[in-house]
Amino acid sequence: MPSRSVLPMKAARRDLNVARDMAEGALSGGVLLTIHRLSQGGADRVAMLLANGFAAINIPTGVAVFRGGGEGEDALLDLLRDDVALSSAGPPTGSRHVELVRGYHHIRRQIAVAKPAFVLASSSNMGVVTGLAARAERGSSVRFAMKLTNPVIRPSDRSAIRKAYRRRLYRFIFGSFDRVLILSDAERANLVQMFPEQASRLRTVINPYISEDMLATPLGTDRTGPPLILTLARMMPQKRLDRLLRAFARVNAPAARLAIVGDGPERDKLEQLARTLGIADRVDMPGFATDVLPWLQRADLFALSSDYEGLPAAALEALACGVPVVTTDCFDAAHAILAGIEGCAVVPRDDVQALATALDEGLAAPRDPGSLRDIARAFSVSEAIRDHAAQLGLEA
């Protein structure tokens, strides 16, 4: 095993490929967040905002990362406050399963060393490993919670066997935790029907998406030039950016442009599809952006084409910037948030023409940026930090 160093050491924070622990007792009375790697995904950015928010109200806070080398690592480390403790299990191993086993031991070690009051799994993909650590710590004073950031049953889980397996898996996962934090009332209602015995554990929580800086940004000042449809997404199968490209190819506004801000393993496939559809000259794929605010300020419409989401941060950020949102029915709260809002729409996942029509209508609709921003205010970072602290019983 590589030798371990102890944080905080500001120069060392940049390299998560070095295995290292938090300082003795660093999180006494506080919270430890678990993350697989620092990626470009919204859940990891939310975890950084949570960590910063807890630290800002004087709750000792740390982040345990299972491996270095995440594609969003530099940007997220820049975002993280210096007074948030940080530990790393070490470099990539080439095997996710090996990293998760190593991560389990890393969680146990940080609990023993840093002594947090609460451990919070920052996303659904941390549920199994953090839950196993929770079961191993039963009888101790440490409590455990997880954020459910993706649906239990996904569109790809088509067979009865697959659905039964997912229900059994999540019944086991949920039973490992003191709290399971759900991102919307609509999703919680569905889960209570699915897992009635877990109802007392399932708590709706406000997720920290919208910063005060974003809410203070002037509305509509940079929207010049041809109409711009924007999406912020990792280029991966779940996001179904191929569906968005096919819909954009049917949009009636010939001058409209589409910007896909993000990167990932499907880039080559998506670039080829844009060429095949004859729209490559109207589609921009600039890669990952650390600061998405300039893109949101320029956009006329935000599009989300995913198969499934938890509660997508990018859509709420768009609303905070006064940009209408057109989305597939990929998250439970979509209708509750967007129904009846001028320029916004929720369409069936597999209906490309309905998506194209909604994009046309969204571009043509009159806009009330202030009303869109008012919807997003409910998801402000300050409100979310207070809500999380209350749900976890943490005291500033």
Side-chain angles (χ1 to χ4, degrees):
M1 175 180 292
S3 61
R4 291 178 176 269
S5 58
V6 176
L7 290 179
M9 292 189 304
K10 191 166 184 178
R13 287 169 71 90
R14 305 300 308 179
D15 188 4
L16 296 183
N17 290 314
V18 176
R20 58 180 181 260
D21 298 323
M22 296 177 192
E24 183 74 28
L27 303 183
S28 178
V31 61
L32 172 70
L33 286 82
T34 63
I35 296 179
H36 182 229
R37 71 187 191 283
L38 299 182
S39 74
Q40 296 176 11
D44 291 342
R45 180 178 174 82
V46 164
M48 297 297 101
L49 293 174
L50 270 180
N52 285 348
F54 288 146
I57 58 173
N58 299 315
I59 295 172
T61 305
V63 176
V65 182
F66 286 11
R67 78 157 173 89
E71 66 271 23
E73 191 168 290
D74 288 344
L76 293 181
L77 288 177
D78 285 341
L79 180 65
L80 195 65
R81 288 169 57 117
D82 290 339
D83 57 352
V84 174
L86 186 64
S87 70
S88 171
T93 66
S95 166
R96 179 178 174 83
H97 292 96
V98 170
E99 290 167 1
L100 292 178
V101 171
R102 184 180 66 178
Y104 164 82
H105 292 290
H106 188 66
I107 294 171
R108 299 290 309 282
R109 183 176 176 87
Q110 302 319 300
I111 291 171
V113 173
K115 299 178 173 55
F118 231 111
V119 177
L120 174 60
S122 62
S123 63
S124 295
N125 66 7
M126 289 287 92
V128 171
V129 174
T130 310
L132 290 173
R135 288 176 180 268
E137 294 286 339
R138 279 183 176 168
S140 75
S141 62
V142 184
R143 293 174 295 164
F144 286 78
M146 71 168 284
K147 299 282 288 291
L148 188 71
T149 54
N150 277 318
V152 168
I153 306 297
R154 304 161 301 184
S156 58
D157 300 318
R158 293 186 176 90
S159 71
I161 292 174
R162 182 67 181 172
K163 290 176 181 177
Y165 164 75
R166 295 279 294 182
R167 288 191 187 96
R168 183 179 291 269
L169 172 64
Y170 273 89
R171 184 169 284 112
F172 173 82
I173 292 173
F174 292 166
S176 303
F177 291 93
D178 299 283
R179 296 280 187 274
V180 179
L181 304 182
I182 313 301
L183 305 186
S184 71
D185 289 334
E187 185 177 18
R188 184 184 182 277
N190 289 338
L191 289 169
V192 168
Q193 283 191 324
M194 197 181 302
F195 305 107
E197 74 285 357
Q198 304 286 357
S200 63
R201 289 187 170 95
L202 304 175
R203 307 290 181 89
T204 303
V205 71
I206 299 169
N207 229 19
Y209 293 129
I210 309 304
S211 69
E212 296 304 318
D213 287 345
M214 187 170 287
L215 291 173
T217 302
L219 291 168
T221 56
D222 291 341
R223 293 190 181 102
T224 58
L228 177 64
I229 300 170
L230 172 69
T231 194
L232 309 172
R234 297 176 68 196
M235 294 178 174
M236 55 190 297
Q238 170 195 344
K239 303 300 183 179
R240 290 304 308 270
L241 295 170
D242 61 309
R243 178 184 290 148
L244 179 57
L245 287 172
R246 295 180 192 282
F248 181 67
R250 302 185 187 188
V251 164
N252 290 324
R257 300 190 65 83
L258 170 66
I260 301 175
V261 178
D263 216 333
E266 295 214 317
R267 170 176 283 277
D268 290 346
K269 183 190 299 185
L270 294 169
E271 289 175 343
Q272 178 58 51
L273 178 59
R275 289 192 290 269
T276 300
L277 293 170
I279 56 174
D281 61 332
R282 296 193 293 128
V283 176
D284 300 309
M285 301 184 191
F288 175 68
T290 302
D291 182 7
V292 298
L293 190 56
W295 283 101
L296 290 167
Q297 289 173 319
R298 289 167 50 197
D300 295 278
L301 187 65
F302 185 86
L304 186 66
S305 54
S306 300
D307 271 341
Y308 61 91
E309 296 281 351
L311 185 62
L316 294 166
E317 289 172 338
L319 294 173
C321 292
V323 182
V325 173
V326 169
T327 180
T328 54
D329 56 351
C330 58
F331 61 103
D332 286 336
H335 289 281
I337 293 173
L338 300 175
I341 307 301
E342 197 77 54
C344 297
V346 182
V347 302
R349 272 190 296 268
D350 294 319
D351 193 334
V352 172
Q353 184 55 55
L355 181 56
T357 299
L359 294 176
D360 273 324
E361 291 175 350
L363 288 175
R367 167 175 317 174
D368 183 356
S371 295
L372 297 174
R373 173 166 283 180
D374 287 342
I375 297 170
R377 287 184 192 279
F379 302 92
S380 71
V381 171
S382 57
E383 290 292 329
I385 298 305
R386 284 192 289 270
D387 195 20
H388 277 75
Q391 293 287 0
L392 299 181
L394 295 168
E395 295 184 3

